[in-house]
């Protein structure tokens, strides 16, 4: 870190010490030959280790550089006049539309830098799940609410989107859109990126880029934010974007210890210099109650104004230090609500050192009272060329007088005062809190109260003048886990009994009887929050309910050439790579079009897109996950405006046979998510058969009443890839049992295949005369079976992780198999050795039949598996037939494959 700090103007007297936001700093930069950069307080420092310029990213040669005392921006002397990146202390005032961030749990992020203090993230830090913001745990309170605006919520809604620039943390090899030169750096926070369209630029170049954003290469796949509406006042951003609840719990636990633990580590580092004194600084009553402080290190001979200046720097405040004062208090005072002000005890306190023989344990920084001041009033409607108006308020100024004076400045002088209200907005990093001010409230008193609570919060607070309009509250809540096949009235009664819903503000807008789910439309924020929290602890018929906040997509506003991509991700698939993909897709697309399958399944996503005229689907998971989504699509198809969306696959499972057939690969191995989305956009539409399997067990089961024997009810399952009977299903069943016993070990494809091999070797000497235990009928004709241990019906030319079970040899008895020919191929295997030879490519299976309608008679219980889901099937009939219309799938185009391969 830079040491040997001194004023550019020279001297050590208090008069020459630069003042935050005052003339001293402006003079410092002027001495270096440049204009004052936005908000920075640069001071010349002596460099003690290799340092890079944050503007040009070049190495700073020599022993001197210029560092901002607030945000640590480091610069060459020659670059000072060109710095355009604003300091963290004024960043909140530059936010166009305040949008809170969505922070997950703290984690370790290599080669990343904090957006607030610009230092590397060496310790656990937070990142936003929606944008590229990274912050230290003790910097999170100072991050401004400048996340992407992904939906309309009734506050400053608009249809035209500008670039949403984020500084630094660019990928290696990043190139500037303007000058085409390298613009990234692994050494410092540098370079700019639009978080919608993804274009990259230097800090010096991005200002010449056209402001309006067109969403870039993925524009046709992104769900436009102007088409999404979500009223979410009482819901956290994690709830709004359907991010797992366990993330919130971990984050909250970490927040509780931020205030007390952040100081202790730094204390050890700073206290090694005996010439300096370490102080705890609180910025208001709220920080005292929470015991959240900042540590500063100042010389033991420091004057009051120097300590005040250092305290303001610690809280990223750019005001004149003469407007603030320090108050001391004892440890006992920390535990009470009242803070003891001792500054009035001595008249000459401000002239001498703040340190006496008895050093106080902590200090609190307070704003001095003012007779009048200038405030900024922002119009809630976005007006071109006018971000805000400045207004001087006195001790007699009320909310009503402010509205009266502001309206003429905004060209609305002819309108009635009663049609407007003044709203106070606290732009916190995690939540934007809005409060309507009373008409008679004194503005100066309000400002005094805010500063007394926290001067940091004052820096993050702004005032909006808002038109009075009858606000329509409409929260859509998806509730699943209910008993299936009930009427709307029965579902309403269950919700009344279990959740005590208020029918005057809650109505059932959609019912999905087959899935046991409803969508509630709620016109009261507090009732929506109460129901959401209560559902998590409610069970019906011993089955837990689940609730998902879902947005409303305004289909009429979607551009004609836009075909949004609905993304489903199974985070448990592919060695937990699904979680990384969730994060990447939320950043690249609108997070409202990315759904986590462990949070309500596919139905919430399909319901959200039910009115979209044209969309595609991307399923990230194994073959079982793909079958789950295709099954849900088949059930809800009649309720979709786009009843036949095309489905792409990102294979995350173990076998991934369907992904192989459609050329998406054998499994995801860390490819760039952006390239995957481009491949989906360029993919070809193909048709694929799906099959219905009716399982009708004839063996009776024990009845519930008086021991009377009753047959099991028929069971219907859907098949996409293959259905196996005998040894194939028996191996799947053993694998399934092993995974249920120790699920934590099954987190990689390599381990999973090893377990398959192990259970296979255990069955190598096993003999089963399957041909004697079953009968096969194909298209109404009896088929004589050879001596086999396994019978497999295949719909796609890939089985058991890519093996060609049918074989490529030509055969006049059968047609060449295709995935859309309306035919299934029937193949037999003689045992585990035969299966191993097939998977090794040395042999193929025994071709038995090809047809469109099959009846299998089981004479005894036999293992059966459909698309990797195994069970023991009782004796009876199995009927396989075509399942309605063919499904539209997306096949990776050959041109894209060649590009990827080269």
């Amino acid at each position: 870190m830079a040491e040997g700090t001194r004023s550019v103007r020279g001297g050590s007297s208090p008069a020459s010490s630069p003042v935050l936001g005052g003339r001293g700093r402006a003079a410092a930069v002027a001495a270096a030959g440049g204009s004052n950069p936005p908000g920075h307080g640069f001071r010349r420092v002596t460099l003690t280790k290799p340092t890079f310029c944050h503007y040009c990213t070049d190495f700073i040669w020599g022993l001197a550089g210029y560092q901002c005392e607030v945000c640590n921006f480091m610069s060459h002397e020659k670059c000072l006049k060109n710095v355009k990146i604003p300091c963290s202390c004024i960043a909140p005032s530059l936010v166009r539309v305040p949008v809170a961030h969505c922070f997950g749990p703290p984690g370790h992020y290599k080669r990343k830098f904090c957006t607030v203090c610009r230092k590397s993230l060496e310790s656990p830090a937070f990142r936003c799940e929606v944008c590229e913001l990274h912050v230290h745990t003790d910097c999170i309170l100072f991050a401004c609410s400048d996340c992407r605006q992904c939906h309309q919520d009734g506050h400053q809604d608009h249809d035209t989107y500008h670039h949403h620039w984020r500084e630094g943390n660019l990928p290696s090899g990043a190139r500037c859109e303007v000058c085409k030169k390298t613009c990234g750096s692994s050494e410092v926070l540098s370079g700019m990126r639009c978080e919608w369209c993804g274009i990259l630029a230097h800090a010096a170049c991005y200002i010449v880029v056209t402001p309006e954003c067109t969403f870039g290469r993925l524009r046709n796949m992104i769900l436009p934010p102007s088409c999404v509406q979500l009223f979410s006042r009482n819901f956290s951003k994690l709830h709004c974007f359907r991010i797992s609840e366990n993330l919130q719990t971990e984050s909250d636990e970490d927040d509780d210890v931020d205030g007390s633990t952040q100081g202790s580590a730094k204390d050890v580092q700073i206290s090694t210099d005996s010439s300096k004194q370490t102080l705890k600084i609180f910025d208001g009553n709220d920080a005292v109650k929470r015991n959240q402080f900042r540590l500063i290190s100042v010389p033991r001979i420091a004057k009051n104004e120097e300590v005040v200046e250092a305290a303001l720097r610690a809280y990223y405040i750019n005001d004149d230090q003469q407007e603030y004062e320090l108050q001391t208090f004892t440890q006992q005072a920390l535990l009470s609500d009242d803070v003891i002000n001792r500054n009035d005890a001595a008249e000459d306190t401000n002239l001498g050192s703040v340190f006496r023989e008895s050093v106080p344990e902590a200090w609190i920084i307070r704003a001095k009272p003012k007779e009048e001041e200038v405030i900024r009033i922002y119009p809630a409607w976005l007006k071109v060329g006018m971000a805000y108006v400045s207004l001087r308020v006195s001790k007699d100024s009320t909310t009503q007088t402010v509205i009266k004076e502001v309206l003429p400045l905004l060209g609305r002088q002819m309108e009635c005062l009663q049609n407007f209200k003044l709203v106070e907005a606290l732009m916190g990093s995690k939540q934007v809190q809005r409060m309507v001010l009373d008409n008679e409230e004194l503005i100066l008193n309000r400002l005094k109260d805010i500063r007394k609570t926290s001067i940091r919060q004052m820096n993050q607070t702004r005032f909006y003048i808002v038109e009075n309009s009858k606000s329509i509250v409409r929260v859509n809540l998806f509730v699943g886990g209910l008993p299936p096949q009930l009427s709307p009235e029965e579902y309403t009664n269950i919700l009344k009994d279990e959740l005590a819903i208020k029918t005057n503000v809650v109505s059932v807008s959609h019912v999905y009887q087959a899935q046991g789910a409803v969508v509630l439309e709620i016109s009261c924020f507090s009732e929506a929050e109460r129901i959401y929290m209560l559902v998590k602890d409610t069970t019906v018929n011993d089955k837990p309910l689940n609730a998902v906040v879902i947005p409303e997509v305004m289909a009429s506003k979607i551009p004609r050439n836009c075909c949004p991509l609905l993304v489903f991700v199974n985070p448990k698939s592919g060695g937990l790579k699904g979680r990384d993909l969730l994060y990447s897709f939320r950043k690249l697309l609108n997070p409202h079009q990315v759904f986590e399958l462990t949070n309500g399944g596919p139905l919430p996503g399909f319901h959200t897109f039910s009115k979209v005229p044209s969309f595609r689907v991307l399923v990230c998971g194994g073959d079982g996950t793909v079958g789950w989504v295709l099954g849900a699509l088949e059930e809800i198809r009649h309720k979709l405006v786009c009843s036949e969306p095309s489905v792409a696959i990102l294979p995350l499972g173990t076998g991934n046979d369907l992904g192989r057939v459609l050329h998406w690969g054998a499994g995801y191995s860390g490819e760039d998510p952006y390239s995957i989305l481009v491949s989906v956009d360029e993919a070809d539409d193909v048709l694929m058969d799906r099959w219905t399997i009716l399982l009708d067990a004839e063996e009776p089961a024990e009845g519930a009443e008086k021991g009377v024997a009753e047959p099991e009810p028929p069971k219907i399952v859907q098949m996409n890839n293959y259905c196996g009977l005998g040894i194939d299903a028996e191996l799947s069943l053993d694998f399934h049992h092993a995974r249920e016993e120790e699920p934590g070990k099954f987190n990689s494809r390599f381990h999973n295949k090893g377990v398959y091999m192990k259970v296979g070797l255990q069955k190598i000497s096993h003999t089963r005369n399957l041909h004697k235990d079953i009968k096969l009928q194909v298209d109404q004709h009896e088929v004589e079976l050879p001596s086999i241990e396994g019978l497999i019906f295949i719909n796609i030319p890939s089985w058991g992780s890519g093996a060609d079970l049918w074989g490529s040899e030509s055969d006049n008895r059968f047609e060449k198999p295709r995935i859309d020919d309306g035919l299934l191929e029937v193949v037999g295997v003689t045992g585990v050795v035969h299966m191993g030879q097939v998977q090794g490519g040395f042999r193929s299976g025994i071709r038995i039949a090809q047809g469109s309608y099959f009846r299998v008679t089981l004479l005894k219980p036999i293992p059966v598996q459909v698309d990797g889901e195994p069970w023991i099937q009782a004796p009876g009939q199995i009927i396989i037939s075509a399942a309605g219309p063919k499904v539209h799938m997306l096949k990776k185009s050959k041109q894209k494959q060649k590009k990827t391969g080269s």
Side-chain angles (χ1 to χ4, degrees):
M1 189 61 194
E3 293 183 0
T5 305
R6 66 181 180 85
S7 169
V8 179
R9 296 169 56 191
S12 58
S13 66
S16 67
S17 178
V19 179
L20 276 172
R23 298 178 181 177
R25 242 181 218 112
V29 179
S35 59
N36 193 29
H40 291 291
F42 284 108
R43 184 176 287 194
R44 188 175 178 180
V45 294
T46 300
L47 305 179
T48 59
K49 65 179 183 179
T51 307
F52 293 81
C53 176
H54 291 197
Y55 175 77
C56 67
T57 71
D58 289 342
F59 185 77
I60 300 179
W61 295 96
L63 298 177
Y66 285 82
Q67 183 181 37
C68 175
E69 295 179 296
V70 180
C71 71
N72 302 307
F73 192 104
M74 185 65 71
S75 173
H76 289 104
E77 182 176 347
K78 65 179 180 179
C79 293
L80 280 177
K81 62 179 181 294
N82 299 318
V83 174
K84 295 292 185 288
I85 298 298
C87 180
S88 299
C89 65
I90 67 166
S93 64
L94 303 177
V95 175
R96 188 165 177 255
V97 179
V99 179
H101 292 283
C102 181
F103 293 109
H108 293 271
Y109 305 108
K110 297 179 180 178
R111 295 283 183 178
K112 298 292 184 181
F113 297 89
C114 176
T115 306
V116 176
C117 71
R118 309 185 70 88
K119 298 177 183 178
S120 62
L121 301 179
E122 297 173 352
S123 57
F126 288 98
R127 74 177 181 188
C128 178
E129 296 290 322
V130 176
C131 68
E132 272 289 348
L133 182 90
H134 291 75
V135 287
H136 291 107
T137 54
D138 57 336
C139 291
I140 193 169
L141 292 175
F142 304 97
C144 57
S145 50
D146 62 345
C147 194
R148 289 191 298 163
Q149 187 179 13
C150 299
H151 59 264
Q152 298 194 354
D153 59 358
H155 300 287
Q156 295 179 283
D157 296 336
H158 53 96
D159 294 335
T160 302
Y161 275 74
H162 289 186
H163 289 295
H164 191 275
W165 295 106
R166 177 75 59 202
E167 184 187 11
N169 297 318
L170 303 186
S172 58
R175 293 201 169 272
C176 177
E177 184 76 12
V178 179
C179 67
K180 309 304 179 184
K181 297 179 180 178
T182 302
C183 60
S185 172
S186 60
E187 304 293 339
V188 293
L189 189 74
S190 182
M192 306 295 289
R193 166 171 41 197
C194 173
E195 293 181 316
W196 278 117
C197 66
I199 67 169
L200 309 171
H202 290 100
C205 297
Y206 87 102
I207 54 177
V208 304
V209 177
T210 305
E212 186 174 341
C213 181
T214 59
F215 299 116
R217 171 66 180 82
L218 305 178
R219 69 177 68 89
N220 294 334
M221 308 177 74
I222 293 177
L223 183 63
S226 59
C227 305
V228 185
Q229 193 171 49
L230 179 63
F231 299 96
S232 57
R233 187 182 69 181
N234 288 8
F235 292 100
S236 73
K237 297 303 286 288
L238 290 172
H239 294 160
C240 295
F241 296 123
R242 304 164 305 281
I243 297 174
S244 299
E245 279 296 302
N246 60 329
L247 302 184
Q248 181 65 53
T249 303
E250 294 175 32
S251 298
D252 287 342
E253 291 173 356
D254 196 88
D255 286 350
D256 292 339
V257 299
D258 275 354
S260 56
T261 58
Q262 72 187 33
S264 58
K266 292 183 178 179
D267 196 6
V268 175
Q269 298 172 0
I270 298 174
S271 61
T272 56
D273 190 346
S274 60
S275 67
K276 292 187 177 182
Q277 175 74 33
T278 301
L279 291 177
K280 291 181 182 179
I281 301 294
F282 295 88
D283 77 323
N285 293 355
D286 186 64
V288 172
K289 291 177 182 178
R290 297 174 183 268
N291 195 27
Q292 289 182 335
F293 55 84
R294 304 281 286 178
L295 291 176
I296 63 171
S297 180
V298 292
R300 292 185 178 275
I301 60 171
K303 304 299 182 182
N304 255 15
E305 53 268 27
E306 293 173 326
V307 179
V308 171
E309 184 181 20
L312 289 171
R313 284 200 302 265
Y315 280 96
Y316 297 90
I317 304 297
N318 192 33
D319 298 341
D320 188 341
Q321 55 91 6
Q322 296 179 9
E323 298 177 357
Y324 293 86
E325 60 187 1
L326 288 172
Q327 297 178 357
T328 67
F329 51 97
T330 62
Q331 185 65 35
Q332 288 74 20
L334 274 173
L335 304 176
S336 66
D337 290 343
D338 298 323
V339 178
I340 302 173
N341 183 353
R342 297 177 179 168
N343 282 15
D344 297 332
E347 187 74 24
D348 61 344
T349 301
N350 289 334
L351 301 177
S353 172
V354 298
F355 303 109
R356 296 291 182 263
E357 293 180 3
S358 176
V359 178
E361 296 179 4
W363 295 78
I364 183 169
I365 187 166
R366 295 287 197 192
K368 296 178 181 178
K370 299 180 181 180
E371 292 295 321
E372 62 177 17
E373 61 179 294
V374 176
I375 63 171
R376 294 174 175 179
I377 306 294
Y378 293 76
W381 56 93
L382 292 175
K383 189 170 183 178
V384 178
M386 182 180 293
Y388 61 86
V389 295
S390 298
L391 190 70
R392 186 175 297 277
V393 294
S394 64
K395 61 181 180 179
D396 298 323
S397 298
T398 64
T399 299
Q400 197 162 17
T401 59
V402 167
I403 294 175
K404 185 177 180 180
E405 294 178 37
V406 165
L407 287 178
L409 300 176
L410 297 173
R412 310 287 288 265
Q413 61 270 19
M414 302 302 294
E415 302 190 34
C416 181
L417 295 181
Q418 281 68 36
N419 293 339
F420 297 88
K421 58 188 176 184
L422 196 64
V423 175
E424 174 191 313
L426 172 58
M427 305 183 299
S429 59
K430 294 183 179 180
Q431 187 178 12
V432 177
Q433 302 175 19
R434 295 177 173 87
M435 182 180 72
V436 179
L437 298 182
D438 184 81
N439 281 339
E440 301 304 320
E441 181 155 14
L442 294 172
I443 299 300
L444 276 186
N445 286 353
R446 183 61 196 153
L447 296 176
K448 181 180 177 182
D449 290 343
I450 297 172
R451 290 192 176 103
K452 189 174 181 181
T453 301
S454 167
I455 61 171
R456 170 189 59 81
Q457 289 185 14
M458 185 66 237
N459 197 40
Q460 296 175 339
T461 299
R462 64 170 56 165
F463 297 94
Y464 284 94
I465 183 167
V466 181
E467 289 184 83
N468 281 324
S469 58
K470 189 175 181 180
S471 57
I472 301 174
V473 178
R474 188 169 61 249
V475 180
N476 294 315
L477 204 61
F478 175 93
V479 179
L482 295 165
Q485 305 301 341
L486 299 183
S487 66
E489 293 76 17
E490 290 173 310
Y491 284 123
T492 303
N493 291 333
I494 290 177
L495 295 174
K496 283 182 182 178
D497 295 338
E498 301 292 341
L499 305 176
I501 63 171
K502 302 173 183 177
T503 52
N504 60 322
V505 293
V506 181
S507 61
V508 178
S509 62
H510 296 81
V511 176
Y512 296 99
Q513 294 172 314
Q515 298 82 9
V518 297
V519 177
L520 303 181
E521 188 174 290
I522 308 170
S523 58
C524 173
F525 282 123
S526 58
E527 177 69 359
E529 185 181 31
R530 185 190 69 83
I531 293 175
Y532 181 86
M533 302 305 292
L534 190 58
V535 163
K536 295 188 295 184
D537 301 319
T538 303
T539 59
V540 176
N541 296 343
D542 295 327
K543 185 178 180 182
L545 301 184
N546 58 78
V548 181
V549 180
I550 52 178
E552 179 182 351
V553 177
M554 297 174 284
S556 59
K557 299 180 70 174
I558 298 179
R560 288 186 178 181
N561 59 345
C562 181
C563 183
L565 184 69
L566 174 59
V567 181
F568 293 111
V569 181
N570 187 348
K572 295 182 179 180
S573 297
L576 304 181
K577 290 176 182 171
R579 291 211 174 276
D580 294 332
L581 287 170
L582 272 170
Y583 173 67
S584 297
F585 288 142
R586 286 191 186 111
K587 287 191 309 176
L588 292 167
L589 303 170
N590 189 326
H592 286 302
Q593 62 190 109
V594 181
F595 287 79
E596 186 176 344
L597 285 170
T598 53
N599 192 5
L603 196 53
F606 283 127
H607 173 81
T608 302
F609 274 58
S610 60
K611 296 180 182 178
V612 177
S614 176
F615 69 93
R616 288 179 162 189
V617 178
L618 172 62
V619 183
C620 307
D623 287 341
T625 302
V626 176
W628 183 16
V629 173
L630 292 178
L633 173 60
E634 185 64 32
E635 292 177 344
I636 198 179
R637 182 190 304 276
H638 63 285
K639 293 189 177 182
L640 302 178
V641 173
C642 177
S643 60
E644 296 183 346
S646 300
V647 180
I649 300 171
L650 180 55
L652 299 182
T654 303
N656 303 316
D657 289 293
L658 187 54
R660 297 169 192 264
V661 170
L662 297 174
H663 297 169
W664 293 106
Y668 177 70
S669 56
E671 292 86 355
D672 179 25
Y674 175 83
S675 300
I676 292 170
L677 292 178
V678 172
S679 298
V680 172
D681 192 42
E682 297 176 351
D684 301 321
D685 200 316
V686 296
L687 294 174
M688 185 182 78
D689 298 324
R690 293 188 77 234
W691 299 84
T692 297
I693 302 178
L694 174 64
L695 303 156
D696 189 3
E698 295 176 353
E699 182 179 277
E702 284 297 317
E705 298 180 8
K706 300 180 182 179
V708 178
E710 293 181 357
E712 293 182 358
K715 177 183 176 182
I716 297 178
V717 296
Q718 303 293 328
M719 184 190 88
N720 300 307
N721 299 355
Y722 38 73
C723 169
L725 290 79
I727 187 63
D728 168 51
E730 196 169 338
L731 296 183
S732 294
L733 192 62
D734 289 347
F735 174 84
H736 185 71
H737 289 158
R739 184 166 57 181
E740 284 185 334
E741 290 176 3
E742 295 179 293
K745 292 184 177 181
F746 290 76
N747 54 10
S748 73
R749 281 192 288 269
F750 182 78
H751 178 270
N752 294 354
K753 291 180 178 180
V755 175
Y756 260 121
M757 183 178 293
K758 180 180 177 180
V759 297
L761 291 173
Q762 292 172 348
K763 306 282 185 182
I764 199 165
S765 60
H766 178 73
T767 58
R768 174 191 289 272
N769 298 319
L770 182 68
H771 59 287
K772 297 179 180 179
D773 299 332
I774 64 174
K775 294 181 179 179
L776 175 64
Q777 190 181 88
V778 180
D779 294 336
Q780 310 297 330
H781 295 94
E782 293 287 341
V783 175
E784 185 177 350
L785 295 174
S787 178
I788 56 174
E789 283 191 51
L791 185 69
I792 304 168
F793 299 83
I794 53 177
N795 183 45
I796 60 175
S798 179
W799 167 85
S801 301
D804 186 2
L805 190 59
W806 183 259
S808 57
E809 298 85 3
S810 58
D811 191 332
N812 295 330
R813 298 177 300 162
F814 306 109
E815 297 181 22
K816 185 178 180 180
R818 298 199 322 270
I819 64 173
D820 63 343
D821 58 4
L823 300 173
L824 278 181
E825 287 69 49
V826 187
V827 185
V829 291
T830 59
V832 173
V833 174
H834 187 184
M835 291 171 61
Q837 291 171 332
V838 170
Q839 291 186 330
F842 304 112
R843 289 181 63 185
S844 57
I846 302 171
R847 297 179 182 179
I848 295 175
Q850 191 180 48
S852 59
Y853 182 86
F854 307 85
R855 179 186 293 269
V856 182
T857 303
L858 305 187
L859 304 179
K860 58 186 295 186
I862 289 177
V864 175
Q865 68 101 350
V866 176
D867 291 344
E869 295 298 323
W871 68 91
I872 298 292
Q873 180 63 27
Q877 303 288 324
I878 298 180
I879 298 175
I880 305 177
S881 59
K886 303 177 191 295
V887 64
H888 289 255
M889 303 298 293
L890 288 172
K891 186 176 183 179
K892 193 172 184 180
S893 67
K894 293 182 179 179
Q895 290 183 349
K896 189 63 184 179
Q897 291 175 62
K898 291 178 182 178
K899 291 179 184 177
T900 306
S902 60

